[in-house]
Amino acid sequence: MSLQDAVARHVRDGDVIVIEGFTHLISFAAGHEIIRQRRRDLTLCRLTPDLIYDQMIAAGCARKLVFSWAGNPGVGSLHAFRRAVEGGTLEIEEYSHFGMVARFSAGAARLPFWTLRDYAGTDLPRANRQIKSVTCPYTGEALATVPALNPDVTIVHAQRADAQGNTQIWGLLGVQKEAAFASQRVIVVVEELVDERVIRSDPNRTLIPAAIVSAVVVEPWGAHPSYAQGYYDRDNDFYVGWETISRDRAELAHYLDEFVYGVQGRAEYMAKQPRLLERLKAGEQRCAGVNYGF
Amino acid sequence: MATVAARELADGEVVFVGIGLPNLACNLARRTHAPNLVLIYESGAVGATPSRLPVSIGDPALVTGSLMVCGMADVFQLFLQNGRIEVGFLGGAQVDRRGSINTTVIGPYQRPKVRLPGSGGAAEIAIHAQRILIVAKLSPRAFPERVDFVTSPGQRVAKVITDKGVLERDAASGELVLAGLYPGVEVAEVRAGVGWPLQSRPRLGRLDPPTSTDLQLLREVLDPQRLYLKS
């Protein structure tokens, strides 16, 4: 299925959506497609909104943001996010990383909430009334609770999957497994489509099973400017450059015009930047391999 | 600051590493007096040995050659909440008299003057790591009497490593006090950078300048592009 079709079919106005991936494997391709299809009133959830949600906020897709760390990693601020929050035009619901991870864990296990030992002495529960507490029935200890997060759609970028959607990821795993299992619908975007035999040759590497996947899309370099371990490096220069672009509304609008609205998809986006391939293509570092025999 | 922070780490300790200067400090310690330091990044890399300075906490170089890569649910539940982290490194826009850190907002939460990134893992790191080290530059704005918002509580803060000296949390009073000065720095300079009447330990510790090996490692090996080093 094309990314255009997958987004048209599975992402609707007003949806609660998750594009996960902690620094690694962030589906910019899907975010850009959602911007192109002009989805509105979305509740965007992610631990780290990153540049992709900054772009979606700037493009007017978001009504609300649910998050735990909203910065440009190693660089500074997400300026579209900051303008929206400081201007009061974006609703926010804020947790810590552990809180967000716990929300996905509850959602994935289809429990109403998750308990964690957290938030004592912090102002976060006062800022977000959804952070509550419960008394442990065994020990009497007060434990923090966060509600389950069950998105309408979760979009995960991965190194490879088979046509059915059995999806393999290596490198940083983030919270993609929990987010996918918590979701009503799951779109998987991959660098490579592989035969089912490849998946079966190394089943421990499968993070997301076909049973929970709604659509599989092949989109090489779909995570740029984030990265895909073993395929291409993170484009740190782009992250640094985003500081200048996102500070200025006009520059940001110009960026969206050229690299999002101005292209039909990833292939065109990549064709505009031919030097990315040589600059970011990953080197070789093979693992030792294991014996699955019995 | 990076060398002073590095010297706070003992060989074999398990450290939850933040990005920026803490990351530089941990990798300096690993290459000098603490080769068995175990670096854990919240992104899921355990026992990382990054061959380049990671710009982000999720850099691919943290994965290549590490001992273990796990999901973030495991990082927070099985390592942090389980009590396996000995040292946690934190930074912040504001640090107050009691060692509480603010990385959330300047001004009121609902109408912020400046919206900062938020907690990330900082709330739970401050609650679960056995010993917290803070790295921050002194200024009255950065060190107010009380932070505008408590992102991370200060109870487990051991030391605050600044650009002029080191503060410690006094066990009896619960407040930060001056514990050591860099060579050539006067007590008054540190007091001028803090928004409350700063108490001092009766005897201030001596903080030695970086050795030539430290400087060579920092400038030529760890941060040749000067991402975090200023000079």
Side-chain angles (χ1 to χ4, degrees):
Chain A
M1 188 182 283
S2 73
L3 189 52
Q4 204 176 355
D5 291 343
V7 167
R9 184 175 304 180
H10 294 293
V11 181
R12 297 154 199 165
D13 285 350
D15 272 356
V16 175
I17 83 157
V18 171
I19 301 177
E20 256 308 330
F22 193 80
T23 319
H24 184 211
L25 300 172
I26 303 171
S27 184
F28 277 80
H32 286 183
E33 185 57 36
I34 291 169
I35 293 174
R36 272 193 294 274
Q37 295 194 20
R38 299 180 195 274
R39 288 293 178 278
R40 291 292 177 267
D41 295 322
L42 300 176
T43 295
L44 301 178
C45 314
R46 249 184 84 78
L47 271 65
T48 61
D50 206 272
L51 272 47
I52 189 57
Y53 281 5
D54 209 34
Q55 293 172 7
M56 293 172 76
I57 290 165
C61 302
R63 181 183 69 78
K64 181 177 177 179
L65 180 72
V66 181
F67 72 103
S68 46
W69 192 84
N72 180 348
V75 179
S77 294
L78 299 174
H79 291 284
F81 157 79
R82 269 186 63 175
R83 276 193 295 275
V85 173
E86 289 167 13
T89 57
L90 180 74
E91 191 185 335
I92 58 170
E93 188 176 315
E94 175 168 11
Y95 297 84
S96 61
H97 280 349
F98 193 7
M100 283 295 285
V101 168
R103 293 199 64 192
F104 283 124
S105 297
R110 304 286 157 168
L111 286 169
F113 65 91
W114 200 260
T115 59
L116 58 165
R117 206 173 277 119
D118 206 346
Y119 303 121
T122 79
D123 286 335
L124 278 159
R126 259 184 288 173
N128 178 359
R129 301 288 175 183
Q130 290 290 90
I131 299 173
K132 298 179 191 286
S133 68
V134 70
T135 304
C136 170
Y138 303 101
T139 64
E141 183 186 359
L143 293 166
T145 62
V146 291
L149 178 50
N150 289 105
D152 294 304
V153 198
T154 289
I155 302 171
V156 170
H157 192 92
Q159 280 103 338
R160 66 189 186 196
D162 65 19
Q164 304 307 310
N166 294 299
T167 304
Q168 298 195 326
I169 288 178
W170 56 97
L172 298 179
L173 304 171
V175 73
Q176 282 97 311
K177 182 171 71 177
E178 291 81 1
F181 273 96
S183 195
Q184 312 306 321
R185 304 185 289 282
V186 176
I187 300 174
V188 170
V189 186
V190 293
E191 290 294 322
E192 280 185 85
L193 194 68
V194 294
D195 195 272
E196 189 183 307
R197 278 173 305 179
V198 176
I199 303 293
R200 288 186 183 277
S201 76
D202 193 6
N204 275 120
R205 221 180 295 281
T206 305
L207 202 72
I208 297 169
I212 63 167
V213 173
S214 317
V216 184
V217 174
V218 185
E219 204 70 274
W221 289 76
H224 176 269
S226 89
Y227 70 99
Q229 191 96 31
Y231 289 77
Y232 45 90
D233 196 358
R234 187 170 187 266
D235 192 348
N236 290 321
D237 292 349
F238 185 88
Y239 275 80
V240 172
W242 187 250
E243 170 68 19
T244 317
I245 297 171
S246 69
R247 250 181 200 285
D248 185 274
R249 282 170 202 267
E251 271 214 49
L252 207 168
H254 178 75
Y255 172 82
L256 293 178
D257 281 342
E258 182 166 1
F259 290 97
V260 182
Y261 297 114
V263 299
Q264 289 208 326
R266 258 300 115 151
E268 263 186 59
Y269 170 94
M270 289 307 293
K272 286 174 82 80
Q273 309 169 84
R275 294 193 49 218
L276 286 182
L277 274 86
E278 51 175 297
R279 188 159 65 82
L280 299 171
K281 197 171 176 350
E284 286 278 315
Q285 181 94 18
R286 298 268 157 193
C287 71
V290 297
N291 182 5
Y292 275 103
F294 59 91
Chain B
M1 285 168 90
T3 15
V4 173
R7 288 171 192 159
E8 290 295 328
L9 302 167
D11 196 22
E13 281 192 305
V14 180
V15 190
F16 211 83
V17 190
I19 214 64
L21 217 58
N23 179 71
L24 209 52
C26 291
N27 282 292
L28 178 64
R30 194 169 59 80
R31 286 169 192 253
T32 52
H33 65 280
N36 302 304
L37 202 63
V38 180
L39 308 186
I40 300 189
Y41 290 76
E42 68 185 6
S43 54
V46 178
T49 57
S51 62
R52 69 179 183 198
L53 188 66
V55 175
S56 76
I57 205 143
D59 195 276
L62 300 174
V63 167
T64 313
S66 69
L67 292 175
M68 175 183 184
V69 175
C70 61
M72 290 180 78
D74 289 354
V75 170
F76 288 110
Q77 299 190 124
L78 309 187
F79 284 94
L80 196 57
Q81 190 168 258
N82 187 308
R84 302 283 167 176
I85 306 294
E86 292 171 276
V87 186
F89 259 113
L90 295 172
Q94 292 183 323
V95 180
D96 73 13
R97 190 168 184 162
R98 308 190 67 79
S100 296
I101 304 174
N102 174 19
T103 54
T104 304
V105 284
I106 304 294
Y109 185 80
Q110 296 302 340
R111 287 258 160 260
K113 241 186 287 175
V114 182
R115 176 63 231 200
L116 302 164
S119 165
E124 43 268 7
I125 292 168
I127 287 168
H128 289 289
Q130 288 157 33
R131 182 167 105 246
I132 296 294
L133 300 173
I134 300 176
V135 182
K137 278 193 177 172
L138 283 175
S139 82
R141 275 174 63 186
F143 283 79
E145 165 98 38
R146 286 190 71 162
V147 290
D148 293 2
F149 187 99
V150 179
T151 313
S152 312
Q155 292 94 310
R156 296 193 174 202
V157 171
K159 294 192 178 182
V160 183
I161 294 134
T162 77
D163 51 333
K164 295 194 163 58
V166 170
L167 314 180
E168 282 177 5
R169 193 164 192 272
D170 182 67
S173 69
E175 67 177 61
L176 299 179
V177 300
L178 181 60
L181 290 169
Y182 292 171
V185 175
E186 302 290 332
V187 174
E189 291 177 60
V190 177
R191 291 219 168 110
V194 168
W196 69 89
L198 182 71
Q199 305 295 308
S200 291
R201 293 270 191 233
R203 283 197 55 195
L204 293 181
R206 210 185 71 176
L207 302 168
D208 291 328
T211 65
S212 56
T213 312
D214 291 337
L215 289 176
Q216 193 227 337
L217 277 169
L218 285 169
R219 289 173 179 164
E220 290 168 30
V221 180
L222 293 171
D223 190 11
Q225 293 175 301
R226 300 288 199 271
L227 288 173
Y228 303 110
L229 295 172
K230 293 290 178 259
S231 54

